[in-house]
């Protein structure tokens, strides 16, 4: 049985802002995200005996949150796969072709991705989990995660009308972002 | 008007024929320079990538049989996503979560060592 040690508690507290960022990006709604985070923490605490000491508690909490989201979402989801990007394509509207791409454009495009691609991209590219960790969190194979991340990027590039890195690079938001993450 | 219709017709063929696609692009450019109406670029939604981009593709992890986007684009996307994430991480945590965290804090210090 895993006991909530001060170290484990601190790790859980530290995970909260990441869990929130993930949940907000996943659902597009702060309220819904906070519900998910709250439930994930409560469930995590009451199932602490299932947590394997020494493993990554952050990844474990992400798994709980992700599974909750899917349980809630499965009821209303109609499309599981979007093999040729038809869903993203239908909703496509490229931003103004003036070389400017900001965070709002990205958020709007992200919301249009099939959610399995969205979660894969968020876990790997935004949160920085390895492909292996992301596959474990999503309960799928490594190749599937790689494929989803790749398709997510391709869809985003299409939706945002990006063909080259310079299409993004012109914007000052990106310069600021690169400055923060050299 | 007939010009627009022919562009539309050609756009459908673009995936099958790269030469048609180049032609469409040229026509769109020509029309765009004449008209105020914004014209969107034809995209490569059905998995077709034009030859000039295929050469540049260098994915860190190329999944089997799928076209990957330019490595530099991937990196810029990553930076953009992280900056979106940082913005969201910096948002204030609401009271109901803070209350829960306080309980967690108490529980943690009461146990353990």
């Amino acid at each position: 049985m895993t006991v909530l040690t001060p170290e484990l508690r601190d790790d859980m507290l530290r995970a909260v802002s990441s869990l929130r960022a993930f949940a907000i990006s996943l659902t597009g709604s702060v309220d819904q995200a906070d519900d998910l985070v709250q439930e994930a923490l409560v469930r995590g605490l009451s199932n602490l005996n299932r947590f394997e000491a020494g493993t990554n508690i952050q990844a474990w909490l992400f798994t709980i949150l992700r599974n909750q989201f899917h349980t809630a979402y499965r009821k209303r989801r109609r499309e599981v796969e979007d093999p040729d990007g038809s869903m993203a394509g239908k909703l496509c509207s490229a931003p103004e072709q003036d070389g400017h791409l900001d965070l709002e454009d990205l958020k709007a495009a992200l919301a249009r991705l099939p959610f399995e691609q969205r979660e894969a991209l968020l876990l790997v590219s935004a949160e920085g989990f390895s492909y292996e960790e992301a596959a474990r969190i999503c309960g799928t194979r490594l190749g599937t995660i790689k494929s989803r991340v790749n398709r997510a990027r391709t869809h985003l590039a299409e939706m945002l009308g990006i063909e080259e890195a310079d299409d993004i690079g012109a914007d000052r938001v990106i310069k600021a972002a690169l400055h923060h993450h050299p | 008007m007939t010009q627009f219709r022919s562009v539309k017709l050609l756009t459908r063929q673009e995936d099958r024929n790269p030469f048609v696609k180049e032609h469409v692009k040229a026509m769109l450019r020509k029309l765009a320079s004449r008209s105020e109406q914004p014209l969107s670029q034809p995209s490569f939604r059905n998995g077709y990538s034009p030859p000039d981009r295929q050469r540049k593709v260098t994915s860190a992890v190329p999944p089997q049989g799928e076209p990957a986007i330019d490595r530099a684009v991937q990196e810029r996307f990553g930076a953009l996503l992280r900056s979106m994430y940082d913005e969201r991480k910096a948002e204030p945590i609401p009271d109901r979560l803070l209350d829960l965290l306080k309980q967690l804090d108490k529980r943690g210090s009461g146990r353990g060592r």
Side-chain angles (χ1 to χ4, degrees):
Chain A
M1 162 113 183
T2 304
V3 174
L4 186 65
T5 61
E7 290 77 17
L8 207 51
R9 179 206 62 206
D10 289 349
D11 285 347
M12 282 182 91
L13 293 175
R14 264 196 295 273
V16 170
S17 62
S18 293
L19 285 168
R20 268 194 102 218
F22 178 61
I24 295 171
S25 309
L26 203 59
T27 62
S29 146
V30 175
D31 279 344
Q32 213 184 327
D34 286 336
D35 286 344
L36 282 172
V37 174
Q38 186 170 346
E39 212 183 322
L41 288 172
V42 170
R43 281 198 192 186
L45 283 173
S46 52
N47 290 290
L48 211 56
N49 56 329
R50 293 196 203 163
F51 174 69
E52 201 181 317
T55 60
N56 185 350
I57 190 139
Q58 185 167 338
W60 187 67
L61 289 171
F62 267 81
T63 312
I64 294 174
L65 189 144
R66 185 260 176 200
N67 288 344
Q68 272 164 229
F69 175 68
H70 275 247
T71 309
Y73 195 84
R74 201 173 290 136
K75 290 169 193 161
R76 43 199 173 92
R77 89 177 173 181
R78 289 172 293 128
E79 302 248 16
V80 180
E81 291 293 326
D82 185 26
D84 58 3
S86 60
M87 196 193 294
K90 249 178 254 163
L91 293 156
C92 169
S93 76
E96 295 297 311
Q97 301 288 317
D98 60 357
H100 282 258
L101 170 68
D102 62 25
L103 288 183
E104 294 311 310
D105 293 330
L106 179 76
K107 286 174 191 170
L110 203 59
R112 289 169 180 169
L113 283 181
F115 70 87
E116 278 163 342
Q117 290 177 25
R118 186 164 56 211
E119 69 179 6
L121 184 71
L122 288 169
L123 290 171
V124 172
S125 292
E127 186 54 45
F129 281 116
S130 68
Y131 283 103
E132 287 81 4
E133 285 171 320
R136 232 171 286 136
I137 289 169
C138 298
T140 189
R141 290 177 306 116
L142 185 60
T144 308
I145 283 294
K146 286 181 180 179
S147 172
R148 283 176 190 167
V149 171
N150 182 55
R151 280 156 60 189
R153 285 177 178 143
T154 308
H155 278 168
L156 279 185
E158 282 170 2
M159 282 192 270
L160 298 167
I162 291 160
E163 292 195 18
E164 293 172 1
D166 286 348
D167 291 343
I168 312 178
D171 193 81
R172 57 193 154 77
V173 174
I174 311 303
K175 280 177 187 158
L178 291 170
H179 182 70
H180 285 301
H181 301 275
Chain B
M1 196 60 209
T2 38
Q3 255 178 331
F4 280 103
R5 210 176 308 144
S6 66
V7 168
K8 212 174 170 187
L9 192 73
L10 285 168
T11 309
R12 271 186 240 127
Q13 297 175 6
E14 68 175 349
D15 292 327
R16 289 190 290 276
N17 190 335
F19 299 105
V20 172
K21 194 182 67 57
E22 284 310 308
H23 183 60
V24 170
K25 267 190 164 173
M27 274 186 82
L28 284 172
R29 270 197 297 270
K30 218 165 157 187
L31 282 171
S33 64
R34 258 187 240 162
S35 147
E36 290 299 303
Q37 191 176 343
L39 287 165
S40 62
Q41 290 266 352
S43 67
F44 317 120
R45 231 161 268 146
N46 298 324
Y48 173 77
S49 21
D52 60 321
R53 287 185 66 205
Q54 279 170 347
R55 260 183 273 126
K56 280 194 283 178
V57 166
T58 49
S59 170
V61 274
Q64 321 82 311
E66 286 183 27
I69 59 167
D70 191 276
R71 180 71 182 270
V73 176
Q74 288 184 25
E75 280 164 12
R76 295 282 167 90
F77 265 142
L80 196 56
L81 281 167
R82 284 192 297 274
S83 110
M84 176 195 81
Y85 229 60
D86 286 350
E87 195 183 88
R88 287 178 171 169
K89 277 184 184 175
E91 276 177 28
I93 294 175
D95 287 344
R96 58 173 169 146
L97 278 184
L98 284 177
D99 289 344
L100 186 70
L101 294 175
K102 270 183 214 149
Q103 288 173 32
L104 181 60
D105 203 32
K106 259 186 234 159
R107 199 177 144 181
S109 54
R111 284 195 182 193
R113 289 168 195 171

